[in-house]
Amino acid sequence: MAGLMQDRPLSLPHVFHRAEMLFADKEIVTATASGERRSTYGECFERVRRLAAALDRLDVPAEARVGTFCSNTQTHLELYFAVPCSGRVLHTINIRLFPDQLAFVVADAQDDVVFVDRALLPALWQVADRMPSVRHIVVIDDGSNEAVPDDPRVVDYETLLAGGPPRSGRFVIDDENSAAALCYTSGTTGDPKGVLYSHRSTVLHSLTSLAADVLAIGERDRVQPVVPMFHVNAWGLPYTAVLAGANLILPGTQTAPGELLAQIERHRVTISAGVPTIWMGALPLLHEHDLSSLRMVLCGGAAVPQSLSEGWRAAIGLPITQAWGMTETSPICTVGVLRSADNELDDEERARLRATQGRPVPLFDLRLVNPETGAEQPWDGVSAGELQAAGPWIASGYLNGSGADAFTDDGWLRTGDIATVDPRGYLNLVDRTKDLVKSGGEWISSVTLENHIMGHPAVAEAAVVAKPDPRWSERPVAFVVPRDDARLTTDDVLAHLRPLVPKWWLPDEVHFVDALPKTGTGKFAKRVLRARLDAIVPEGST
Ligand code: AMP
């Protein structure tokens, strides 16, 4: 028997129109190099309507991908709503991509238009000749003085908005499963893969984030997403905050730890969110600010060391709340909000629980699968298995059909993380099968680094592994086997890599070895290398 309830689409236009009606007086603050920009939701949303009309005037078709190459700003928020509410797909491009990857994602997405902060124009312009699908490049004047190239594709954002009346009436998205946003994740081969969020997944993810035992975001909150808006929609926070009617406090380009803390203090931020590197950098400065408004400091993207969370607790009385997720999972799936019973535990035990990745949020299912046998592992806190994920905001595939092996036959996402879960549901990540290094919240492909290093004529073999790093979470370390009699130095390897990869990808250490350990199937035994990392003495390096 079918239920007799209305089948109304879960779509971003609902979020937008509700906020337009109920929260027009709420505030959006963006830090700028020269001060700050303040707007009400009402003012911002009028610009959203202007932007939607401007996309029509530019003849951007329905479902076309609209790229953004922007910091966390109000303008980026305008794009977050105007693009999907008007039936296009928001493609948030990672501003730290190396030119080849940048050209790849724009081509893979077939972006029709790209919006770019003026300060970021030089980075985008490196591939301006390799973006055949892009008809317009809309430059957002952020007060920087980067030269704007004389190119027929270039359009000024404010001129565009002023070019006609705003869209009137309601935005309509009939199919809640239609695509709203696109974000690329890195792959082991180095080619990023597109994750396509739907209106429905975005609304459900936002709604769950509001829940009391998740982020408990409400209208009274002042939310500061430090995590970039090009990284998994800043963990969904811009949408969640607008759904709740919370003030949004955006750091723009002012992301140094002292600037972030000053913004928290000035605007009485209640919840902030960023990767461990950010909160590690802020730790020594906490005593210089009044941070008493904070009720949650959310942290994920990489493991949160117990010492970091406890450092915050010692300094301001508030430990860090850890969450786990991925680009493929929208991202929030587990959050370290302790159970009431666990709040009775002693400080040390609670600190240990907060160093786990937390417990599954509503509507999210996880299971642990033994990679060898395929058997599901018990939640006993000891048995480790690959973490597999299912739920209404978990990807079912990648754009253009790539990476199909990331999904099981019964439709679960293989996360590439190895974990245990204890009987209370606390997730603990213990290893990773993905051949990637996560530095400062961004991926470095070890396979790409290895291939480049092995491209050096004096190198026989090379393997790159992640080394734990207190500041960046992880840094790449290379093990290199030189060819017979070749004299090779660390500087030779780094000089060879420099033109090929972003500067922040360069390995922190290069160890020269006679041979690399291999697995039964002939692959580099990275687990062995990681375990030996401290023991191996560099040979032949100068
Ligand atoms: P991304 O798709 O870039 O967001 O990266 C997702 C991956 O980051 C996960 O599969 C994990 O490997 C890692 N990750 C995310 N959150 C955490 C966390 N709290 N602790 C440890 N690793 C994490």
Side-chain angles (χ1 to χ4, degrees):
M1 181 185 260
L4 285 171
M5 288 293 126
Q6 298 182 6
D7 185 11
R8 308 276 290 186
L10 301 174
S11 71
L12 288 172
H14 171 82
V15 178
F16 176 81
H17 291 301
R18 179 171 183 274
E20 203 177 32
M21 287 298 295
L22 300 182
F23 308 123
D25 59 331
K26 299 309 296 279
E27 233 194 333
I28 298 154
V29 178
T30 308
T32 65
S34 57
E36 62 183 18
R37 173 182 185 191
R38 299 178 80 138
S39 295
T40 61
Y41 270 33
E43 288 159 347
C44 173
F45 286 2
E46 207 261 340
R47 291 168 59 83
V48 168
R49 288 179 171 281
R50 287 190 174 278
L51 177 54
L55 292 172
D56 296 342
R57 289 197 300 279
L58 289 179
D59 283 330
V60 180
E63 302 190 353
R65 269 71 63 209
V66 174
T68 62
F69 202 75
C70 304
S71 308
N72 290 14
T73 63
Q74 179 188 318
T75 318
H76 210 170
L77 188 74
E78 290 161 12
L79 286 151
Y80 259 52
F81 280 93
V83 174
C85 287
S86 66
R88 286 97 179 184
V89 180
L90 177 82
H91 172 203
T92 52
I93 305 171
N94 186 334
I95 62 175
R96 299 194 190 116
L97 292 180
F98 203 51
D100 282 350
Q101 290 175 315
L102 184 52
F104 174 86
V105 299
V106 171
D108 196 60
Q110 286 290 294
D111 289 327
D112 187 42
V113 189
V114 177
F115 288 73
V116 53
D117 287 346
R118 186 164 171 181
L120 299 171
L121 198 47
L124 182 73
W125 210 261
Q126 294 181 77
V127 297
D129 294 336
R130 295 159 67 189
M131 307 191 301
S133 65
V134 176
R135 295 184 301 124
H136 306 287
I137 298 173
V138 184
V139 178
I140 299 158
D141 194 349
D142 52 12
S144 70
N145 51 14
E146 298 295 345
V148 178
D150 184 13
D151 184 289
R153 286 170 297 178
V154 170
V155 185
D156 171 65
Y157 185 75
E158 293 302 327
T159 310
L160 188 65
L161 255 55
R167 235 328 168 98
S168 58
R170 289 183 78 83
F171 293 112
V172 177
I173 297 290
D174 288 325
D175 180 1
E176 63 178 13
N177 287 307
S178 58
L182 171 65
C183 185
Y184 277 79
T185 182
S186 302
T188 47
T189 58
D191 270 350
K193 297 190 286 286
V195 178
L196 206 48
Y197 310 107
S198 65
H199 281 263
R200 173 187 159 85
S201 72
T202 309
V203 170
L204 287 172
H205 179 266
S206 305
L207 203 53
T208 301
S209 297
L210 299 185
D213 288 335
V214 182
L215 308 185
I217 290 180
E219 184 268 342
R220 76 205 76 81
D221 275 306
R222 292 176 292 280
V223 181
Q224 183 197 47
V226 178
V227 50
M229 286 170 77
F230 59 73
H231 199 133
V232 212
N233 295 333
W235 300 348
L237 288 170
Y239 292 126
T240 305
V242 171
L243 181 61
N247 281 3
L248 265 168
I249 313 297
L250 302 169
T253 50
Q254 311 308 106
T255 53
E259 291 164 338
L260 295 172
L261 295 176
Q263 195 182 40
I264 293 173
E265 182 172 6
R266 188 172 332 115
H267 293 288
R268 308 294 294 155
V269 166
T270 56
I271 170 167
S272 185
V275 295
T277 301
I278 297 285
W279 303 135
M280 184 70 77
L283 192 54
L285 306 176
L286 296 181
H287 66 277
E288 295 174 13
H289 298 271
D290 172 6
L291 305 174
S292 56
S293 58
L294 280 172
R295 64 166 182 81
M296 183 183 266
V297 175
L298 190 67
C299 189
V304 181
Q306 185 169 325
S307 56
L308 173 60
S309 184
E310 285 298 277
W312 272 70
R313 189 168 75 87
I316 67 162
L318 183 72
I320 286 178
T321 303
Q322 180 160 193
W324 172 88
M326 308 167 66
T327 305
E328 290 89 331
T329 71
S330 294
I332 294 177
C333 290
T334 68
V335 176
V337 174
L338 304 193
R339 303 181 321 155
S340 54
D342 299 327
N343 278 321
E344 310 298 316
L345 299 171
D346 65 29
D347 282 356
E348 171 61 25
E349 187 61 15
R350 277 184 300 168
R352 208 187 55 72
L353 284 179
R354 283 193 293 263
T356 71
Q357 278 69 29
R359 305 170 73 234
V361 303
L363 305 186
F364 168 66
D365 281 316
L366 68 79
R367 67 185 182 191
L368 299 176
V369 176
N370 181 318
E372 268 98 54
T373 65
E376 208 172 317
Q377 302 286 65
W379 290 18
D380 58 10
V382 186
S383 308
E386 185 186 28
L387 174 58
Q388 298 188 352
W393 56 81
I394 311 298
S396 62
Y398 294 107
L399 182 65
N400 300 329
S402 60
D405 56 350
F407 301 91
T408 65
D409 290 343
D410 59 349
W412 290 58
L413 169 74
R414 294 184 221 269
T415 66
D417 289 325
I418 306 291
T420 63
V421 180
D422 82 6
R424 296 165 294 185
Y426 288 102
L427 174 74
N428 209 345
L429 262 56
V430 294
D431 201 359
R432 188 189 286 155
T433 61
K434 301 178 266 216
D435 230 346
L436 297 162
V437 179
K438 200 153 204 196
S439 175
E442 300 292 334
W443 292 113
I444 295 171
S445 166
S446 40
V447 176
T448 303
L449 275 178
E450 286 159 8
N451 289 341
H452 285 316
I453 298 173
M454 289 192 278
H456 189 291
V459 171
E461 278 184 329
V464 171
V465 295
K467 181 178 184 176
D469 183 273
R471 176 154 183 224
W472 301 106
S473 295
E474 293 176 355
R475 289 294 303 152
V477 170
F479 291 85
V480 176
V481 181
R483 284 198 188 281
D484 303 332
D485 302 328
R487 286 222 17 100
L488 201 59
T489 66
T490 297
D491 286 346
D492 293 336
V493 173
L494 297 184
H496 170 73
L497 284 175
R498 233 167 243 125
L500 301 172
V501 298
K503 201 166 146 223
W504 58 277
W505 279 38
L506 293 177
D508 275 14
E509 298 169 18
V510 178
H511 298 288
F512 295 96
V513 292
D514 294 334
L516 290 170
K518 304 265 172 57
T519 65
T521 56
K523 293 183 184 159
F524 298 136
K526 299 220 171 162
R527 201 178 294 212
V528 178
L529 280 177
R530 282 200 297 267
R532 285 194 200 154
L533 204 51
D534 292 337
I536 293 180
V537 180
E539 290 172 25
S541 59
T542 53

